[in-house]
Amino acid sequence: MIDKFFFLAIFLPLLASALCLFYRGSLKQERLITLSLSFIYMVFSLYLLVTFQTPQEIAVGNWPAGIGIKLKLDMLSALMLAVIGIIYFTGALYSIPGKTIENHRNYFFLYHSLFLCLAKAFVIQHLFKLFVCCEVTFMISYV
């Protein structure tokens, strides 16, 4: 039943980045948001991998077939979302001490945006939108 909601793999990093923008002045709040939502993402993505049965597909919006965005979860994308979830949470744990760049005021927003684009790249079905996700990921990694 929960595998119908695999779009939460995109929504959770989006929610985390929006909350980090909202609490941009408070480093303690940003770290709490980062740890909690990255842990939830990791558990959710591992659950998707363990309970996978059949490929799922969701059409976003009421657009025609050639224009609209389709998200698809198959076994490979579930595996990649689980790997991303583990890296997402361990990276959040690593950023707790805040000795280097983690004290920058936009760090956590960019961190969540990076994993948002990585998750989108593995579930999106349109080639041009995949290219856009990769370009945004490259742009975030250079900041």
Side-chain angles (χ1 to χ4, degrees), residues 6-134:
F6 71 89
F7 65 89
L8 288 175
I10 295 173
F11 179 72
L12 287 174
L14 179 66
L15 175 68
S17 62
L19 287 174
C20 283
L21 272 181
F22 185 71
Y23 292 109
R24 190 159 55 170
S26 173
L27 193 60
K28 192 178 252 187
Q29 291 290 334
E30 287 181 332
R31 286 182 180 158
L32 179 67
I33 291 166
T34 300
L35 283 176
S36 59
L37 285 177
S38 64
F39 180 74
I40 291 170
Y41 185 90
M42 180 186 70
V43 170
F44 178 72
S45 63
L46 288 173
Y47 181 77
L48 278 178
L49 179 65
V50 170
T51 62
F52 181 82
Q53 294 176 358
T54 60
Q56 302 290 326
E57 187 173 302
I58 295 176
V60 180
N62 287 332
W63 291 88
I67 301 171
I69 300 172
K70 285 191 176 182
L71 304 175
K72 185 174 184 178
L73 180 78
D74 55 0
M75 189 60 175
L76 179 63
S77 59
L79 176 67
M80 294 310 293
L81 286 177
V83 170
I84 288 172
I86 292 169
I87 294 171
Y88 190 26
F89 181 63
T90 55
L93 286 176
Y94 183 75
S95 68
I96 287 176
K99 301 287 186 207
T100 59
I101 194 72
E102 292 86 8
N103 289 330
H104 192 272
R105 79 182 258 191
N106 292 328
Y107 172 76
F108 290 106
F109 167 71
L110 293 172
Y111 181 74
H112 295 297
S113 299
L114 175 71
F115 283 97
L116 167 68
C117 291
L118 284 174
K120 276 173 93 174
F122 288 116
V123 297
I124 205 146
Q125 209 174 8
H126 194 271
L127 191 59
F128 176 71
K129 292 173 184 82
L130 172 67
F131 174 73
V132 170
C133 291
C134 291

